Structure formats: C-alpha cells, structure tokens
Amino acid sequence: MSRVVVIDHPLIQHKLSIIRDKDTGPKEFRELVNEVAMLMAYEVTRDLPTEEVEVETPVARARCRRLAGEKIGLIPILRAGLGMVQGILNLYPTARVGHIGLYRDPGTLQPVEYYCKLPSDLSERELIVVDPMLATGGSVVAALDLIKRRGGVKIKLLCLIAAPEGVKAVQETHPDVDIYIAALDERLNEHAYIVPGLGDAGDRLFGTK
Ligand code: URA
C-alpha cells in the first residue's frame, strides 16, 4: 500500500494558506506554488542515495557525502503540473522533465492522452510525478499507467492538496507509488473540486477563467 506523507512543515503550511486565499493573484500564486514545490521536493528526495567523497577544505581534508548520481525525472501533468516544475528544478537542475497531457472525454468521462514526451531512459530514473490537485485521481492514475507502460519503475507522486477520493484511487491502482502532499482536504464537491481546496489550480496559475 502506498504511503501518504503529509508534509506539515510550518513554512509549507503558511505558504499554502496564502495559495488557498481567493484574493491571491496569479503572480503571487505562481511564486508560492513553486516555492512550496521546492520545499516539498526536499522531503520527497530525502532517501536519495549518497556516497562518501574526500574534499580538500582550506584547512584540512574532509570526508563528505554527495549525491550518488541517482537520475531524477520530473513529470508534470499538464497543465497545472507546470506550476511546480521550476521550484523543483531550482533544487535539482539536472532533472529531466517529461510532460503528459490528458483531457477528460466528455462522453465517457475517461482521461484521454493528447501529449506525452518522456525521457528515453525512464526506467533508470527516480520519477516524480507532479500535479497540484489530487481530486478524483482519474488523470493521475492514467498518467501513472502510461509512465509504467513506457518503462517507469520508481515513481513518487507530489501534489499540494489531495481529496480522500483521489488518495484512495491511487492507492488502489498503484500501491507502489508513495503520495506526498501538503494537505489532505475534506472531500470533492459535485463538480469534482476539492473542498476547501484552492479552486482551479490551472486557472489560478495562468490567470485564465
Ligand atoms: N483540479 C483543480 O484545479 N482543482 C480542484 O479542486 C480539483 C481539480
């Protein structure tokens, strides 16, 4: 069963409260989403392997630890996932970024892929799938299915806010994928918005409506 890790660091919770506020405009919203994504990425990558190296300081030789070279793949689900990319790249500039675009078929209500470009060495990378809102879980589950079909193995999911329904959907279909969130909200409403949530993350990031 996937672990659900709620990252309740005071800085993240503080910034999330401003992100949720309906009066926060797109510029501040974008900046804060990126900052929170960066802070969360710090926790998501806590178990990255390190190796010992020797470094010559101005004073003496020091034994230090460096990242052992695990390759990261960052996969935003379009379009709101884009809002979290730069923050994580600030921490991991060598990460490769894949993109997955899905829309919901109005007839079947099933997610349909319209764009997919992923790093070719997917199976060798630690993959972080990002989407700010884990609502019904439909698009995240479809994205995880797609990534695994393309060879992805080590996958984590990073969202800002989740609804219990979305967490359940991911846990049932992808029990190997750990879920990192900043908040677990109450429920979905009749329009599949997370309550209390933050509204439409894509619209708030890009100033559309
Ligand atoms: N997507 C959003 O952007 N917001 C929600 O509340 C649910 C899905």
Side-chain angles (χ1 to χ4, degrees):
M1 167 80 86
S2 21
R3 281 187 315 140
V4 180
V5 181
V6 181
I7 307 177
D8 59 356
H9 190 286
L11 269 176
I12 293 176
Q13 295 306 317
H14 174 79
K15 288 172 191 290
L16 185 60
S17 75
I18 304 170
I19 289 171
R20 286 184 189 270
D21 190 328
K22 66 176 174 35
D23 294 327
T24 300
K27 177 175 183 287
E28 198 182 358
F29 188 91
R30 268 195 302 275
E31 288 167 357
L32 288 166
V33 167
N34 269 311
E35 284 175 20
V36 168
M38 182 173 75
L39 294 169
M40 293 181 80
Y42 178 81
E43 195 58 39
V44 172
T45 52
R46 175 174 287 284
D47 57 0
L48 278 183
T50 56
E51 61 191 10
E52 196 170 281
V53 290
E54 274 210 5
V55 170
E56 190 84 38
T57 80
V59 180
R61 290 183 81 73
R63 272 207 289 272
C64 309
R65 302 209 67 81
R66 272 193 192 153
L67 290 173
E70 180 86 321
K71 295 193 280 185
I72 304 276
L74 188 56
I75 307 179
I77 302 178
L78 301 179
R79 89 188 139 137
L82 292 176
M84 299 170 77
V85 171
Q86 191 53 52
I88 303 174
L89 284 177
N90 290 344
L91 275 191
Y92 289 92
T94 57
R96 296 294 162 91
V97 185
H99 295 87
I100 294 180
L102 301 158
Y103 70 89
R104 196 197 289 218
D105 183 297
T108 65
L109 300 181
Q110 292 306 306
V112 180
E113 170 193 335
Y114 67 85
Y115 187 79
C116 181
K117 183 84 181 173
L118 299 171
S120 54
D121 54 356
L122 209 58
S123 61
E124 296 161 29
R125 291 186 177 267
E126 165 132 357
L127 303 172
I128 306 173
V129 175
V130 294
D131 194 350
M133 308 301 276
L134 177 58
T136 62
S139 51
V140 166
V141 168
L144 294 171
D145 289 342
L146 179 56
I147 292 165
K148 288 184 180 175
R149 280 202 303 277
R150 299 282 184 99
V153 182
K154 279 191 279 179
I155 312 172
K156 291 174 175 171
L157 174 64
L158 174 56
C159 305
L160 296 189
I161 300 176
E165 294 88 335
V167 169
K168 184 163 176 276
V170 174
Q171 285 183 321
E172 283 176 358
T173 51
H174 294 283
D176 56 313
V177 175
D178 287 341
I179 306 168
Y180 293 79
I181 54 178
L184 181 62
D185 276 10
E186 286 164 28
R187 61 184 171 85
L188 295 178
N189 69 13
E190 61 279 19
H191 305 293
Y193 277 91
I194 298 178
V195 180
L198 52 71
D200 187 299
D203 281 346
R204 296 201 58 194
L205 278 166
F206 299 112
T208 49
K209 196 135 183 136

